[in-house]
Amino acid sequence: MSILCGLPILECVYCLGCARWLWQKCLYTAGHESENWGLATAEEFEPVPRLCRLILSVYEDDLRYPLWAPPGGYGINPDWVIVKRTYEETGGCATPYMIYLDHDNVEIVLAIRGLNLAKESDYAVLLDNKLGQTKFDGGYVHNGLLKAAKWIFDAECELLRDLVEMNPDYRLTFAGHSLGAGIVSLIAMYAVQNREKLGTIERKRIRCFAMAPARCVSLNLAVRYADVINSVVLQDDFLPRTTTALEDVYKSIFCLPCLLCLMCLKDTCTLEEKMLKDPRRLYAPGRLYHIVERKPFRIGRFPPVVRTAVPVDRRFEHIVLSCNATSDHTIIWLERESQRAVDVSLNFFLGNYSLMLEKDRIMEIPAQQRMQRQESLAREHSEEYEAALRRAIALDIPQASYSPSYGTFAEVEEGESSGSSGGSGSLLSFKRMRERWDNFIERLFDVDESGRMVFKKSST
C-alpha cells in the first residue's frame, strides 16, 4: 500500500524533470555553442558564398541557359568548366560534380552537389557505415563517404595533376554541400595523403570548404586537418549536430521533429566526457565557421555574424529545437546568408581603411595592409591549431597526439614512428622547452674550473 502511495510522487518528480529538460532545451540556442569563438574576417570567409554559387551551378543541366540561378547569377564562365559529371557518368558511386578552372580567383575547384532525395544511390552512400567500421590515418571516418571520395579521386586524379602542373600558382580547392561536403572533406584528406599523385603540389595549396557537412571524421582527425578543411554551418542546421546513424535520419525524414526530440533526450543523458573519449564517434571536420543571424526571443533575422574556431569540446554536440533546423541546411539559404555576412564584414573592415563601396564595386585594400592582415591571420590560426591539440591531449582524446610526418601542429623528426605512443605530442613540446631553457642558461652562465656555474662577465 505504501508503494502505491508513492507512485504519484514519483510521477510528479518525473514530470517536473521532463518539464525542466524541455525548458532548458527551448532556451538552448545555436549561438551558445560559438559564443566564445573569435570573429571571422572578411578575407578568410570571402570564398564561401562564391563556392556556394559554384555548388549550386552543378544542379544546372546547361550553364549557358541556367534555370535556377540566384540573384546576380552564378558568377562563373561556362568556358572555364573543365568537366561536369552526371549520375549516369558516376554510376551511382558519387553525386554529380564539376571541375572548374577559376582564373579570376587563381584556383582549381572540384565542386560536388548535395543529396538528391530521389536517388537511391545517394542513400546507399550515406547508409554504408557502421560505428568504427573504417580507419583512416590514425582515426575513423564514414565508410560510404570514403568510398565515394576515393572513386572521384581515382577517376579525376590525372586530370587534376595536369591542371596543377599547368597552373603551378593555383590552389586546389574542394567544395561540397551536405552529402557532397562529407565527400570533399575526405577527398581533401585523401589528396593530402597522396600528394605525389597530384604532382608537386604542397599541403598549403590544398583546401576544402564543406558547407553544412555530415559528421564524417573522428575528433583527432577533425582537429589535425583544420588547416585544410573548413566547415561552414548556418545557425541551427541539424546535420552537423546529428550524432545518430544517418540511416535513422533518412528513414525518419518525414517525421524528423520526432527524431530530433529523441536525439535531444539521448544527448542530454550522455556525459560529454564519455562522448569525447569514444574514438569511433564522428564529428564535423576541420575548422568551424558558424553563421549566427537569429537571437532568442527575437523576431526576424539580424545582420549575420560569422564566428570561427578549432574547438575540441562543444563541437556542435547538441541538437537545437528550432523550426529552422532543416531550412538552415539548404544551400540556397547558406549562400544568401554567407553573402550577407561578407557584405557586412566588408562594410565594417573597409570603413577602418577609409574606403567605400561604389555601385557594387569594392575598392581594394592597400597591398601592404592586406599582406600584414594575412600574416596576422595565419599566425592566429597557427596558434589556434596548437591550442586545439594541447586541449585534445589535456582531455585525453584517443590518439590526439598522433602526428604524421607532415604534421599540422608539430613537425616530427625523421625516424620517429607515426604510430608513436600517446605522449609523443607532449614529449615533443617538452624537448623544445628543454632546448630553449638550455640555450637561455648558456647565454647567462659559464662553468668555472671547479664545475660550478657562475654568471658570465660582460665583455666591457
Side-chain angles (χ1 to χ4, degrees), residues 241-261:
R241 299 179 172 86
T242 302
T243 56
T244 190
L246 290 173
E247 178 179 4
D248 297 331
V249 174
Y250 289 96
K251 280 182 178 178
S252 309
I253 194 70
F254 298 108
C255 191
L256 196 56
C258 303
L259 178 66
L260 296 182
C261 289

Side-chain angles (χ1 to χ4, degrees), residues 104-141:
D104 291 337
N105 296 284
V106 195
E107 61 184 355
I108 304 160
V109 185
L110 191 156
I112 306 181
R113 59 159 288 171
L115 175 79
N116 186 340
L117 293 175
K119 286 290 182 180
E120 294 182 2
S121 58
D122 287 1
Y123 290 101
V125 173
L126 274 173
L127 306 186
D128 182 14
N129 187 61
K130 294 181 181 178
L131 190 64
Q133 180 178 353
T134 306
K135 285 188 175 183
F136 179 85
D137 193 20
Y140 290 90
V141 296

Side-chain angles (χ1 to χ4, degrees), residues 42 339-351 353-365:
Q339 184 61 60
R340 286 184 61 207
V342 169
D343 293 340
V344 170
S345 298
L346 283 173
N347 278 318
F348 175 77
F349 285 112
L350 292 177
Y353 291 98
S354 301
L355 299 173
M356 61 183 180
L357 300 174
E358 297 179 351
K359 297 181 180 180
D360 298 330
R361 183 177 61 85
I362 302 174
M363 297 180 65
E364 290 291 333
I365 298 174

